[in-house]
Amino acid sequence: ERQADIKKIDKTISELAQMFVEVSEMVNRQQEVIDSIDTAVEETHVHVDSGRKEVNTAIVLRIKARKKLWIILAISIIIIVIIVVIIYFTVIKK
């Protein structure tokens, strides 16, 4: 009977060892997934920072473009007014 108990304990220890191996393998597989997720998060962080910089640059360029548009519009209005004044005075003088 002692021999049977020893075999039973040995079998239980072997099963336990196999369970530890399986758990270790599962942990390793999960670690790979976690590493992949971590890499993706880091890449996303880099892309978000890059995108934020590009958006800020686009805002600055838009403001400059709008300012140039207003300057061109003002110059165009001034030129039109000058042309109208010249035409008006040349027509009145005749």
Side-chain angles (χ1 to χ4, degrees):
E1 193 172 302
R2 255 183 79 126
Q3 184 70 18
D5 288 341
I6 291 174
K7 285 184 180 184
K8 189 175 179 183
I9 290 172
D10 185 46
K11 182 179 176 187
T12 303
I13 290 173
S14 294
E15 289 173 355
L16 186 61
Q18 181 61 34
M19 283 185 215
F20 274 114
V21 168
E22 291 173 6
V23 167
S24 176
E25 289 173 359
M26 288 189 320
V27 167
N28 287 335
R29 283 194 302 265
Q30 290 175 352
Q31 186 60 44
E32 291 172 7
V33 172
I34 289 171
D35 290 343
S36 174
I37 291 169
D38 186 46
T39 301
V41 168
E42 288 175 11
E43 289 175 1
T44 301
H45 181 70
V46 169
H47 288 116
V48 167
D49 283 344
S50 175
R52 185 179 299 123
K53 289 176 185 175
E54 288 183 24
V55 167
N56 288 338
T57 301
I59 289 170
V60 169
L61 292 176
R62 183 190 56 170
I63 290 169
K64 288 181 179 180
R66 188 175 291 152
K67 182 178 178 181
K68 288 177 186 176
L69 180 66
W70 282 109
I71 290 171
I72 291 171
L73 182 63
I75 291 172
S76 298
I77 290 172
I78 291 170
I79 290 173
I80 291 172
V81 168
I82 291 172
I83 291 172
V84 168
V85 167
I86 291 172
I87 292 174
Y88 177 75
F89 283 118
T90 56
V91 171
I92 290 180
K93 284 187 176 183
K94 288 185 177 186

